[in-house]
Each structure stands twice: as C-alpha cells, then as structure tokens.
Amino acid sequence: MLKKFMRGDRKEEAALTAMHEHLDLLCAAGQTLTELLSVGGKDLVDKIFDLEREGDTARRRVLSIIFEGAFLPYLRPNLCRFVELVDEAFDTVEDTARYFDLIALHPTIAEECRRIASFNQQMCEILILAFELAVRGEDIREQVLAIRILEKRVDDLKGDIYQKIHEVPVADFWQGKFYADFLHSLTAFSDLIEDASDALYVLTVSFR
C-alpha cells in the first residue's frame, strides 16, 4: 500500500525503515516489561528506559524525514498520527516500569497484571505484522480484529483488578497514587495500540 503511493524517494524508504525500527523497539520494551512484572529487577527498569530513549530517537527521525518532504502531502498527517500513537504507547511502557519500581506488586492482582503485560506484548507483535503487510499492500483486517480481541481481554482483566483493588493494602496516599498510576499506564497501552492499528487500517482502506 504505502510503497505503491511513494515517489521512489530514498527519504521514504528511510522513513519506513525508521518506523519499523520504532515498532521493533516498542515490542522489545513490551517484552522487557512482561519479564519485569514476573521477576522484577532494577536492570530491567533501566533497560526499558534505554529502549524508550532509542524509540524517541527513531520517532524524531521518522518525523524529520516526513517534514523534509517524504511521501505525498495527503499521506503525511495519517502517517504522523500513526507514529505519534506508537510513541504514546511507548510512553505508557516507560511509565509502567517507573511506577512498578515504586510499589510492591500485591499477589491479589499480580497475575492479572502479568496477563495484561503479556497481551500488550502480543498486540505489539501483531501491529508490527500489520505494518509489514500494509507496506506490501496486503489486507490487514485480520490483524486489526486480533488486536481488538486482545484489547477486550485487557479491558476484562482491568475490570477484575478494580474489583479486587480494595484488598490491596496501601501505607499512605502516595503509595496508593503510585498503584493507581501503575495500573493506568499498564492498561492504557492496549487502547493506544488499538488506535494505532485503526489509523493504519484507515490508510490501507483509503487506497483501495
């Protein structure tokens, strides 16, 4: 799809490469977060921070190439929207790791949180596949549907957590706030990945 409407400019190839790198880094961060929620460790938190910085560099590179004139003008807003949604998802991974480092994940909700992280990681992997298919001009409806199904599972787990959260003891206001911020960041990821897949699908549909 995208290559069909490119002008053969090397800038566009470079932008697509950087977009894929951005997604790869996000997936690596999601995988690291899944591991962090299972085993803990300051080194995994630091690794996520490092991946986010690399991802931010990739995002800036993509946007810079687009602003320099890559792609046809009517493609640029939707492409930028997709990149920004992926970056917002990256921010939630970093925030989740930061707040996890400030709390002790209570066994009452630990399993649900780990399952959400696993679903988030799966959604990211599916989004990468959808991007690759879109670039080749192939249908991505199956991938978009799979992401929506996983997002619904995350929503269900979020509901389960909020039914149990009153059982989690908190020492003071700040510990309670860190818990709330941790859960918000963990569950916001799936919404952003769903939005990113929808944005990508809109791009594919507009050129049929």
Side-chain angles (χ1 to χ4, degrees):
M1 178 272 297
L2 289 175
K3 287 190 176 180
K4 180 180 176 181
F5 290 88
M6 283 166 29
R7 299 164 300 175
D9 195 321
R10 289 184 179 178
K11 290 179 182 178
E12 293 161 349
E13 291 284 357
L16 291 176
T17 298
M19 289 170 72
H20 200 295
E21 179 187 350
H22 195 203
L23 288 166
D24 283 339
L25 289 165
L26 174 62
C27 196
Q31 183 176 2
T32 305
L33 181 65
T34 301
E35 184 179 357
L36 174 65
L37 266 58
S38 296
V39 301
K42 180 65 174 174
D43 56 327
L44 294 175
V45 175
D46 292 340
K47 181 178 178 181
I48 289 172
F49 291 168
D50 290 341
L51 287 167
E52 196 280 333
R53 282 191 288 271
E54 291 181 51
D56 199 45
T57 298
R59 177 191 63 87
R60 288 196 299 269
R61 186 160 64 250
V62 174
L63 296 180
S64 174
I65 295 169
I66 291 174
F67 293 152
E68 287 173 2
F71 300 105
L72 297 170
Y74 60 89
L75 286 175
R76 294 170 194 161
N78 286 329
L79 287 168
C80 290
R81 172 66 175 158
F82 174 76
V83 172
E84 292 295 351
L85 285 167
V86 171
D87 192 62
E88 288 178 37
F90 223 140
D91 288 341
T92 68
V93 177
E94 182 185 33
D95 289 342
T96 303
R98 177 179 290 109
Y99 292 123
F100 179 81
D101 199 36
L102 297 172
I103 65 171
L105 188 57
H106 197 270
T108 301
I109 60 171
E111 180 58 28
E112 287 84 354
C113 290
R114 291 171 185 141
R115 289 179 64 193
I116 289 174
S118 178
F119 285 146
N120 287 347
Q121 181 185 344
Q122 292 176 50
M123 291 174 72
C124 186
E125 292 168 352
I126 295 170
L127 184 64
I128 292 177
L129 175 59
F131 176 78
E132 292 169 349
L133 292 173
V135 169
R136 296 199 300 264
E138 299 180 32
D139 193 354
I140 65 169
R141 282 178 292 183
E142 182 178 338
Q143 287 69 39
V144 171
L145 177 60
I147 286 173
R148 288 177 180 170
I149 290 171
L150 288 172
E151 197 279 331
K152 175 62 168 60
R153 291 181 181 176
V154 170
D155 276 350
D156 291 343
L157 287 168
K158 180 180 177 181
D160 293 343
I161 288 173
Y162 286 151
Q163 287 181 356
K164 296 179 177 181
I165 194 67
H166 67 279
E167 301 175 22
V168 176
V170 291
D172 53 33
F173 167 82
W174 288 109
Q175 188 181 49
K177 184 178 186 308
F178 293 150
Y179 249 112
D181 290 341
F182 164 77
L183 292 172
H184 172 74
S185 299
L186 178 66
T187 56
F189 181 94
S190 61
D191 289 329
L192 290 164
I193 293 297
E194 183 180 28
D195 289 345
S197 71
D198 288 342
L200 189 61
Y201 184 67
V202 167
L203 276 167
T204 66
V205 169
S206 26
F207 301 120
R208 287 181 182 172

